[in-house]
Amino acid sequence: LWGIVNNAGRSLPMGPSEWMRVEDFHSTLNVNMNGVIAMTMTFLPLIKKAQGRIVNVASVLGRVAANGGGYGISKFAVECFSDCLRRDIGYFGIKVCIIEPGFFKTAVTSLDPIERELHRLWNQLSPEVKASYGEKYLDNYIKIQRLIMNAVCDSDLTKVTSCMEHALTAAHPRTRYSAGWDAKLLWIPLSYMPSFVVDIGLKLVLPRPSKSV
């Protein structure tokens, strides 16, 4: 076996962290983090014999924590697991590559399921938590999600698949691949900024609760 590409993933539930239950985190982590580890460790002996490739699809949200829920956490974990693995097994001639796509038009970024999940999360909150955010917070949050997805999502998926192809077949693959204009021009540069700059930038685009408690 020459190579594997760990691409399977789920994004939902995603929303403000306080809206999540523990099982909401686990449902995403089980696929995006545990799944990557399980697939890699299962096939690693065969990859080792071939001195082949392991390609893990992370995300720009594995560089910048912009959303609550398990998605960003899992992608940070994929970054860490890939770095550790590359350093551990590079001696054996195995290449470990990380792909960090920006926002693309896929099932992961489809607005309908995102909005359904946000409504579900909102409806399970206690009256006290709802009151702390205010009745208009959910509507404003959804409006911002629509604006971001419609403005940023790229429909050209070959920008991602060409990275996968290069990582699998090139004589000298790159350690990291950034796919998409937003990854190159927005998210990756933002990830090198001081934390307070990122905090301020995200505050400008996220809705504010109507009052504090």
Side-chain angles (χ1 to χ4, degrees), residues 68-102:
Y71 186 79
I73 297 171
S74 69
K75 294 304 183 179
F76 270 83
V78 170
E79 296 268 355
C80 178
F81 174 67
S82 302
D83 282 341
C84 291
L85 187 67
R86 184 183 67 255
R87 291 158 186 162
D88 288 340
I89 64 176
Y91 174 83
F92 299 105
I94 304 169
K95 304 293 185 182
V96 180
C97 305
I98 305 168
I99 300 177
E100 301 169 329

PDB file of all heavy atoms in Angstrom, residues 68-102:
ATOM      1  N   GLY A  68     -16.966  27.349  17.841  1.00  0.00           N
ATOM      2  CA  GLY A  68     -17.073  26.388  18.921  1.00  0.00           C
ATOM      3  C   GLY A  68     -17.489  25.028  18.381  1.00  0.00           C
ATOM      4  O   GLY A  68     -17.841  24.876  17.217  1.00  0.00           O
ATOM      5  N   GLY A  69     -17.458  24.027  19.245  1.00  0.00           N
ATOM      6  CA  GLY A  69     -17.777  22.669  18.816  1.00  0.00           C
ATOM      7  C   GLY A  69     -16.524  21.858  18.575  1.00  0.00           C
ATOM      8  O   GLY A  69     -15.401  22.331  18.769  1.00  0.00           O
ATOM      9  N   GLY A  70     -16.701  20.627  18.121  1.00  0.00           N
ATOM     10  CA  GLY A  70     -15.583  19.712  17.992  1.00  0.00           C
ATOM     11  C   GLY A  70     -14.751  19.867  16.743  1.00  0.00           C
ATOM     12  O   GLY A  70     -13.638  19.331  16.671  1.00  0.00           O
ATOM     13  N   TYR A  71     -15.253  20.615  15.728  1.00  0.00           N
ATOM     14  CA  TYR A  71     -14.557  20.648  14.445  1.00  0.00           C
ATOM     15  C   TYR A  71     -13.156  21.245  14.564  1.00  0.00           C
ATOM     16  O   TYR A  71     -12.162  20.618  14.181  1.00  0.00           O
ATOM     17  CB  TYR A  71     -15.366  21.429  13.416  1.00  0.00           C
ATOM     18  CG  TYR A  71     -14.761  21.380  12.033  1.00  0.00           C
ATOM     19  CD1 TYR A  71     -14.937  20.267  11.217  1.00  0.00           C
ATOM     20  CD2 TYR A  71     -14.004  22.437  11.538  1.00  0.00           C
ATOM     21  CE1 TYR A  71     -14.380  20.202   9.952  1.00  0.00           C
ATOM     22  CE2 TYR A  71     -13.435  22.392  10.273  1.00  0.00           C
ATOM     23  CZ  TYR A  71     -13.629  21.278   9.489  1.00  0.00           C
ATOM     24  OH  TYR A  71     -13.057  21.215   8.238  1.00  0.00           O
ATOM     25  N   GLY A  72     -13.063  22.466  15.067  1.00  0.00           N
ATOM     26  CA  GLY A  72     -11.760  23.105  15.198  1.00  0.00           C
ATOM     27  C   GLY A  72     -10.831  22.325  16.111  1.00  0.00           C
ATOM     28  O   GLY A  72      -9.632  22.175  15.830  1.00  0.00           O
ATOM     29  N   ILE A  73     -11.366  21.809  17.217  1.00  0.00           N
ATOM     30  CA  ILE A  73     -10.566  21.008  18.140  1.00  0.00           C
ATOM     31  C   ILE A  73      -9.972  19.805  17.407  1.00  0.00           C
ATOM     32  O   ILE A  73      -8.781  19.492  17.543  1.00  0.00           O
ATOM     33  CB  ILE A  73     -11.424  20.536  19.328  1.00  0.00           C
ATOM     34  CG1 ILE A  73     -11.923  21.740  20.135  1.00  0.00           C
ATOM     35  CG2 ILE A  73     -10.639  19.576  20.221  1.00  0.00           C
ATOM     36  CD1 ILE A  73     -12.955  21.381  21.183  1.00  0.00           C
ATOM     37  N   SER A  74     -10.811  19.128  16.628  1.00  0.00           N
ATOM     38  CA  SER A  74     -10.354  17.931  15.914  1.00  0.00           C
ATOM     39  C   SER A  74      -9.284  18.263  14.882  1.00  0.00           C
ATOM     40  O   SER A  74      -8.348  17.487  14.685  1.00  0.00           O
ATOM     41  CB  SER A  74     -11.540  17.235  15.244  1.00  0.00           C
ATOM     42  OG  SER A  74     -12.064  17.991  14.165  1.00  0.00           O
ATOM     43  N   LYS A  75      -9.424  19.418  14.223  1.00  0.00           N
ATOM     44  CA  LYS A  75      -8.458  19.769  13.191  1.00  0.00           C
ATOM     45  C   LYS A  75      -7.132  20.222  13.796  1.00  0.00           C
ATOM     46  O   LYS A  75      -6.064  19.990  13.222  1.00  0.00           O
ATOM     47  CB  LYS A  75      -9.035  20.842  12.272  1.00  0.00           C
ATOM     48  CG  LYS A  75     -10.239  20.352  11.457  1.00  0.00           C
ATOM     49  CD  LYS A  75      -9.908  19.108  10.647  1.00  0.00           C
ATOM     50  CE  LYS A  75     -11.066  18.652   9.780  1.00  0.00           C
ATOM     51  NZ  LYS A  75     -10.751  17.459   8.968  1.00  0.00           N
ATOM     52  N   PHE A  76      -7.161  20.878  14.957  1.00  0.00           N
ATOM     53  CA  PHE A  76      -5.925  21.153  15.680  1.00  0.00           C
ATOM     54  C   PHE A  76      -5.248  19.834  16.048  1.00  0.00           C
ATOM     55  O   PHE A  76      -4.025  19.701  15.977  1.00  0.00           O
ATOM     56  CB  PHE A  76      -6.214  21.959  16.952  1.00  0.00           C
ATOM     57  CG  PHE A  76      -6.170  23.450  16.773  1.00  0.00           C
ATOM     58  CD1 PHE A  76      -7.273  24.137  16.284  1.00  0.00           C
ATOM     59  CD2 PHE A  76      -5.032  24.171  17.097  1.00  0.00           C
ATOM     60  CE1 PHE A  76      -7.245  25.510  16.118  1.00  0.00           C
ATOM     61  CE2 PHE A  76      -4.990  25.554  16.941  1.00  0.00           C
ATOM     62  CZ  PHE A  76      -6.099  26.228  16.449  1.00  0.00           C
ATOM     63  N   ALA A  77      -6.045  18.846  16.446  1.00  0.00           N
ATOM     64  CA  ALA A  77      -5.499  17.535  16.810  1.00  0.00           C
ATOM     65  C   ALA A  77      -4.880  16.835  15.606  1.00  0.00           C
ATOM     66  O   ALA A  77      -3.835  16.186  15.733  1.00  0.00           O
ATOM     67  CB  ALA A  77      -6.603  16.665  17.416  1.00  0.00           C
ATOM     68  N   VAL A  78      -5.509  16.946  14.436  1.00  0.00           N
ATOM     69  CA  VAL A  78      -4.957  16.350  13.220  1.00  0.00           C
ATOM     70  C   VAL A  78      -3.606  16.974  12.890  1.00  0.00           C
ATOM     71  O   VAL A  78      -2.663  16.284  12.477  1.00  0.00           O
ATOM     72  CB  VAL A  78      -5.934  16.503  12.042  1.00  0.00           C
ATOM     73  CG1 VAL A  78      -5.272  16.120  10.720  1.00  0.00           C
ATOM     74  CG2 VAL A  78      -7.169  15.632  12.261  1.00  0.00           C
ATOM     75  N   GLU A  79      -3.505  18.281  13.060  1.00  0.00           N
ATOM     76  CA  GLU A  79      -2.227  18.967  12.837  1.00  0.00           C
ATOM     77  C   GLU A  79      -1.149  18.393  13.766  1.00  0.00           C
ATOM     78  O   GLU A  79      -0.033  18.069  13.331  1.00  0.00           O
ATOM     79  CB  GLU A  79      -2.385  20.469  13.085  1.00  0.00           C
ATOM     80  CG  GLU A  79      -3.327  21.189  12.143  1.00  0.00           C
ATOM     81  CD  GLU A  79      -2.624  21.759  10.932  1.00  0.00           C
ATOM     82  OE1 GLU A  79      -1.386  21.671  10.863  1.00  0.00           O
ATOM     83  OE2 GLU A  79      -3.328  22.300  10.057  1.00  0.00           O
ATOM     84  N   CYS A  80      -1.478  18.272  15.033  1.00  0.00           N
ATOM     85  CA  CYS A  80      -0.511  17.791  16.025  1.00  0.00           C
ATOM     86  C   CYS A  80      -0.138  16.338  15.758  1.00  0.00           C
ATOM     87  O   CYS A  80       1.052  15.976  15.776  1.00  0.00           O
ATOM     88  CB  CYS A  80      -1.101  17.952  17.421  1.00  0.00           C
ATOM     89  SG  CYS A  80      -0.041  17.337  18.742  1.00  0.00           S
ATOM     90  N   PHE A  81      -1.144  15.491  15.529  1.00  0.00           N
ATOM     91  CA  PHE A  81      -0.880  14.073  15.264  1.00  0.00           C
ATOM     92  C   PHE A  81       0.013  13.915  14.043  1.00  0.00           C
ATOM     93  O   PHE A  81       0.961  13.113  14.047  1.00  0.00           O
ATOM     94  CB  PHE A  81      -2.207  13.340  15.060  1.00  0.00           C
ATOM     95  CG  PHE A  81      -2.054  11.909  14.632  1.00  0.00           C
ATOM     96  CD1 PHE A  81      -1.512  10.966  15.490  1.00  0.00           C
ATOM     97  CD2 PHE A  81      -2.462  11.512  13.364  1.00  0.00           C
ATOM     98  CE1 PHE A  81      -1.368   9.633  15.099  1.00  0.00           C
ATOM     99  CE2 PHE A  81      -2.319  10.194  12.960  1.00  0.00           C
ATOM    100  CZ  PHE A  81      -1.774   9.247  13.824  1.00  0.00           C
ATOM    101  N   SER A  82      -0.254  14.690  13.006  1.00  0.00           N
ATOM    102  CA  SER A  82       0.534  14.591  11.771  1.00  0.00           C
ATOM    103  C   SER A  82       1.969  15.031  11.989  1.00  0.00           C
ATOM    104  O   SER A  82       2.910  14.398  11.480  1.00  0.00           O
ATOM    105  CB  SER A  82      -0.116  15.436  10.671  1.00  0.00           C
ATOM    106  OG  SER A  82      -1.449  15.028  10.419  1.00  0.00           O
ATOM    107  N   ASP A  83       2.160  16.116  12.732  1.00  0.00           N
ATOM    108  CA  ASP A  83       3.515  16.585  13.017  1.00  0.00           C
ATOM    109  C   ASP A  83       4.294  15.552  13.829  1.00  0.00           C
ATOM    110  O   ASP A  83       5.463  15.254  13.536  1.00  0.00           O
ATOM    111  CB  ASP A  83       3.467  17.913  13.780  1.00  0.00           C
ATOM    112  CG  ASP A  83       3.165  19.101  12.881  1.00  0.00           C
ATOM    113  OD1 ASP A  83       3.346  18.983  11.656  1.00  0.00           O
ATOM    114  OD2 ASP A  83       2.739  20.154  13.403  1.00  0.00           O
ATOM    115  N   CYS A  84       3.654  15.006  14.866  1.00  0.00           N
ATOM    116  CA  CYS A  84       4.323  14.006  15.694  1.00  0.00           C
ATOM    117  C   CYS A  84       4.663  12.767  14.872  1.00  0.00           C
ATOM    118  O   CYS A  84       5.773  12.226  14.968  1.00  0.00           O
ATOM    119  CB  CYS A  84       3.430  13.615  16.876  1.00  0.00           C
ATOM    120  SG  CYS A  84       3.201  14.918  18.093  1.00  0.00           S
ATOM    121  N   LEU A  85       3.706  12.321  14.053  1.00  0.00           N
ATOM    122  CA  LEU A  85       3.911  11.124  13.247  1.00  0.00           C
ATOM    123  C   LEU A  85       5.055  11.329  12.258  1.00  0.00           C
ATOM    124  O   LEU A  85       5.911  10.446  12.081  1.00  0.00           O
ATOM    125  CB  LEU A  85       2.616  10.778  12.513  1.00  0.00           C
ATOM    126  CG  LEU A  85       2.585   9.460  11.742  1.00  0.00           C
ATOM    127  CD1 LEU A  85       2.666   8.288  12.700  1.00  0.00           C
ATOM    128  CD2 LEU A  85       1.325   9.378  10.879  1.00  0.00           C
ATOM    129  N   ARG A  86       5.067  12.483  11.594  1.00  0.00           N
ATOM    130  CA  ARG A  86       6.117  12.770  10.613  1.00  0.00           C
ATOM    131  C   ARG A  86       7.502  12.719  11.256  1.00  0.00           C
ATOM    132  O   ARG A  86       8.444  12.163  10.682  1.00  0.00           O
ATOM    133  CB  ARG A  86       5.871  14.157   9.995  1.00  0.00           C
ATOM    134  CG  ARG A  86       6.854  14.524   8.881  1.00  0.00           C
ATOM    135  CD  ARG A  86       6.609  15.918   8.350  1.00  0.00           C
ATOM    136  NE  ARG A  86       6.907  16.954   9.327  1.00  0.00           N
ATOM    137  CZ  ARG A  86       5.982  17.651   9.988  1.00  0.00           C
ATOM    138  NH1 ARG A  86       4.704  17.435   9.783  1.00  0.00           N
ATOM    139  NH2 ARG A  86       6.335  18.575  10.868  1.00  0.00           N
ATOM    140  N   ARG A  87       7.612  13.251  12.446  1.00  0.00           N
ATOM    141  CA  ARG A  87       8.906  13.278  13.119  1.00  0.00           C
ATOM    142  C   ARG A  87       9.282  11.906  13.661  1.00  0.00           C
ATOM    143  O   ARG A  87      10.480  11.575  13.758  1.00  0.00           O
ATOM    144  CB  ARG A  87       8.868  14.324  14.241  1.00  0.00           C
ATOM    145  CG  ARG A  87       8.795  15.745  13.682  1.00  0.00           C
ATOM    146  CD  ARG A  87       8.237  16.762  14.644  1.00  0.00           C
ATOM    147  NE  ARG A  87       8.060  18.059  13.982  1.00  0.00           N
ATOM    148  CZ  ARG A  87       7.287  19.038  14.446  1.00  0.00           C
ATOM    149  NH1 ARG A  87       6.633  18.877  15.591  1.00  0.00           N
ATOM    150  NH2 ARG A  87       7.174  20.162  13.772  1.00  0.00           N
ATOM    151  N   ASP A  88       8.286  11.105  13.999  1.00  0.00           N
ATOM    152  CA  ASP A  88       8.547   9.778  14.546  1.00  0.00           C
ATOM    153  C   ASP A  88       8.987   8.783  13.481  1.00  0.00           C
ATOM    154  O   ASP A  88       9.837   7.909  13.747  1.00  0.00           O
ATOM    155  CB  ASP A  88       7.288   9.220  15.237  1.00  0.00           C
ATOM    156  CG  ASP A  88       6.988   9.928  16.550  1.00  0.00           C
ATOM    157  OD1 ASP A  88       7.902  10.554  17.109  1.00  0.00           O
ATOM    158  OD2 ASP A  88       5.824   9.854  17.006  1.00  0.00           O
ATOM    159  N   ILE A  89       8.388   8.863  12.269  1.00  0.00           N
ATOM    160  CA  ILE A  89       8.606   7.805  11.276  1.00  0.00           C
ATOM    161  C   ILE A  89       9.328   8.286  10.021  1.00  0.00           C
ATOM    162  O   ILE A  89       9.511   7.514   9.080  1.00  0.00           O
ATOM    163  CB  ILE A  89       7.269   7.133  10.880  1.00  0.00           C
ATOM    164  CG1 ILE A  89       6.341   8.145  10.195  1.00  0.00           C
ATOM    165  CG2 ILE A  89       6.608   6.505  12.093  1.00  0.00           C
ATOM    166  CD1 ILE A  89       5.043   7.519   9.705  1.00  0.00           C
ATOM    167  N   GLY A  90       9.739   9.534  10.001  1.00  0.00           N
ATOM    168  CA  GLY A  90      10.453  10.046   8.829  1.00  0.00           C
ATOM    169  C   GLY A  90      11.723   9.269   8.531  1.00  0.00           C
ATOM    170  O   GLY A  90      12.128   9.147   7.374  1.00  0.00           O
ATOM    171  N   TYR A  91      12.340   8.717   9.573  1.00  0.00           N
ATOM    172  CA  TYR A  91      13.576   7.933   9.413  1.00  0.00           C
ATOM    173  C   TYR A  91      13.372   6.751   8.467  1.00  0.00           C
ATOM    174  O   TYR A  91      14.304   6.316   7.784  1.00  0.00           O
ATOM    175  CB  TYR A  91      14.034   7.433  10.785  1.00  0.00           C
ATOM    176  CG  TYR A  91      15.216   6.504  10.751  1.00  0.00           C
ATOM    177  CD1 TYR A  91      16.516   7.006  10.690  1.00  0.00           C
ATOM    178  CD2 TYR A  91      15.045   5.122  10.774  1.00  0.00           C
ATOM    179  CE1 TYR A  91      17.611   6.152  10.648  1.00  0.00           C
ATOM    180  CE2 TYR A  91      16.131   4.257  10.728  1.00  0.00           C
ATOM    181  CZ  TYR A  91      17.413   4.782  10.669  1.00  0.00           C
ATOM    182  OH  TYR A  91      18.493   3.934  10.629  1.00  0.00           O
ATOM    183  N   PHE A  92      12.122   6.231   8.411  1.00  0.00           N
ATOM    184  CA  PHE A  92      11.832   5.046   7.608  1.00  0.00           C
ATOM    185  C   PHE A  92      11.448   5.386   6.172  1.00  0.00           C
ATOM    186  O   PHE A  92      11.028   4.509   5.414  1.00  0.00           O
ATOM    187  CB  PHE A  92      10.704   4.241   8.253  1.00  0.00           C
ATOM    188  CG  PHE A  92      11.038   3.752   9.636  1.00  0.00           C
ATOM    189  CD1 PHE A  92      10.481   4.362  10.752  1.00  0.00           C
ATOM    190  CD2 PHE A  92      11.916   2.710   9.838  1.00  0.00           C
ATOM    191  CE1 PHE A  92      10.783   3.932  12.034  1.00  0.00           C
ATOM    192  CE2 PHE A  92      12.223   2.258  11.115  1.00  0.00           C
ATOM    193  CZ  PHE A  92      11.665   2.877  12.216  1.00  0.00           C
ATOM    194  N   GLY A  93      11.597   6.646   5.800  1.00  0.00           N
ATOM    195  CA  GLY A  93      11.301   7.045   4.428  1.00  0.00           C
ATOM    196  C   GLY A  93       9.848   7.338   4.151  1.00  0.00           C
ATOM    197  O   GLY A  93       9.444   7.478   2.990  1.00  0.00           O
ATOM    198  N   ILE A  94       9.042   7.447   5.182  1.00  0.00           N
ATOM    199  CA  ILE A  94       7.609   7.735   5.028  1.00  0.00           C
ATOM    200  C   ILE A  94       7.394   9.241   5.075  1.00  0.00           C
ATOM    201  O   ILE A  94       7.942   9.936   5.940  1.00  0.00           O
ATOM    202  CB  ILE A  94       6.794   7.065   6.145  1.00  0.00           C
ATOM    203  CG1 ILE A  94       7.065   5.564   6.170  1.00  0.00           C
ATOM    204  CG2 ILE A  94       5.293   7.320   5.957  1.00  0.00           C
ATOM    205  CD1 ILE A  94       6.509   4.873   7.405  1.00  0.00           C
ATOM    206  N   LYS A  95       6.598   9.747   4.144  1.00  0.00           N
ATOM    207  CA  LYS A  95       6.257  11.160   4.119  1.00  0.00           C
ATOM    208  C   LYS A  95       4.855  11.352   4.708  1.00  0.00           C
ATOM    209  O   LYS A  95       3.920  10.640   4.349  1.00  0.00           O
ATOM    210  CB  LYS A  95       6.275  11.702   2.694  1.00  0.00           C
ATOM    211  CG  LYS A  95       7.590  11.496   1.952  1.00  0.00           C
ATOM    212  CD  LYS A  95       8.713  12.307   2.549  1.00  0.00           C
ATOM    213  CE  LYS A  95       9.975  12.185   1.706  1.00  0.00           C
ATOM    214  NZ  LYS A  95      11.115  12.929   2.291  1.00  0.00           N
ATOM    215  N   VAL A  96       4.720  12.300   5.610  1.00  0.00           N
ATOM    216  CA  VAL A  96       3.415  12.649   6.192  1.00  0.00           C
ATOM    217  C   VAL A  96       3.098  14.086   5.786  1.00  0.00           C
ATOM    218  O   VAL A  96       3.854  15.006   6.114  1.00  0.00           O
ATOM    219  CB  VAL A  96       3.429  12.508   7.724  1.00  0.00           C
ATOM    220  CG1 VAL A  96       2.061  12.883   8.301  1.00  0.00           C
ATOM    221  CG2 VAL A  96       3.799  11.082   8.134  1.00  0.00           C
ATOM    222  N   CYS A  97       2.008  14.262   5.071  1.00  0.00           N
ATOM    223  CA  CYS A  97       1.633  15.574   4.544  1.00  0.00           C
ATOM    224  C   CYS A  97       0.311  16.028   5.146  1.00  0.00           C
ATOM    225  O   CYS A  97      -0.584  15.222   5.412  1.00  0.00           O
ATOM    226  CB  CYS A  97       1.504  15.525   3.020  1.00  0.00           C
ATOM    227  SG  CYS A  97       2.976  14.919   2.176  1.00  0.00           S
ATOM    228  N   ILE A  98       0.182  17.335   5.320  1.00  0.00           N
ATOM    229  CA  ILE A  98      -1.026  17.929   5.872  1.00  0.00           C
ATOM    230  C   ILE A  98      -1.627  18.869   4.835  1.00  0.00           C
ATOM    231  O   ILE A  98      -0.925  19.734   4.291  1.00  0.00           O
ATOM    232  CB  ILE A  98      -0.728  18.734   7.156  1.00  0.00           C
ATOM    233  CG1 ILE A  98      -0.006  17.860   8.181  1.00  0.00           C
ATOM    234  CG2 ILE A  98      -2.005  19.308   7.744  1.00  0.00           C
ATOM    235  CD1 ILE A  98       0.571  18.647   9.352  1.00  0.00           C
ATOM    236  N   ILE A  99      -2.905  18.720   4.570  1.00  0.00           N
ATOM    237  CA  ILE A  99      -3.621  19.631   3.676  1.00  0.00           C
ATOM    238  C   ILE A  99      -4.543  20.496   4.518  1.00  0.00           C
ATOM    239  O   ILE A  99      -5.320  19.987   5.330  1.00  0.00           O
ATOM    240  CB  ILE A  99      -4.411  18.857   2.605  1.00  0.00           C
ATOM    241  CG1 ILE A  99      -3.443  18.019   1.763  1.00  0.00           C
ATOM    242  CG2 ILE A  99      -5.204  19.815   1.722  1.00  0.00           C
ATOM    243  CD1 ILE A  99      -4.119  17.163   0.724  1.00  0.00           C
ATOM    244  N   GLU A 100      -4.446  21.802   4.324  1.00  0.00           N
ATOM    245  CA  GLU A 100      -5.216  22.766   5.114  1.00  0.00           C
ATOM    246  C   GLU A 100      -6.136  23.567   4.189  1.00  0.00           C
ATOM    247  O   GLU A 100      -5.815  24.695   3.809  1.00  0.00           O
ATOM    248  CB  GLU A 100      -4.269  23.700   5.875  1.00  0.00           C
ATOM    249  CG  GLU A 100      -3.336  22.958   6.821  1.00  0.00           C
ATOM    250  CD  GLU A 100      -2.226  23.829   7.369  1.00  0.00           C
ATOM    251  OE1 GLU A 100      -1.793  24.761   6.658  1.00  0.00           O
ATOM    252  OE2 GLU A 100      -1.779  23.576   8.487  1.00  0.00           O
ATOM    253  N   PRO A 101      -7.281  22.989   3.812  1.00  0.00           N
ATOM    254  CA  PRO A 101      -8.177  23.714   2.908  1.00  0.00           C
ATOM    255  C   PRO A 101      -8.838  24.902   3.597  1.00  0.00           C
ATOM    256  O   PRO A 101      -9.078  24.889   4.813  1.00  0.00           O
ATOM    257  CB  PRO A 101      -9.231  22.661   2.532  1.00  0.00           C
ATOM    258  CG  PRO A 101      -8.673  21.351   2.991  1.00  0.00           C
ATOM    259  CD  PRO A 101      -7.781  21.669   4.150  1.00  0.00           C
ATOM    260  N   GLY A 102      -9.145  25.908   2.789  1.00  0.00           N
ATOM    261  CA  GLY A 102     -10.006  26.974   3.251  1.00  0.00           C
ATOM    262  C   GLY A 102     -11.452  26.526   3.141  1.00  0.00           C
ATOM    263  O   GLY A 102     -11.761  25.347   3.250  1.00  0.00           O
TER     264      GLY A 102
END
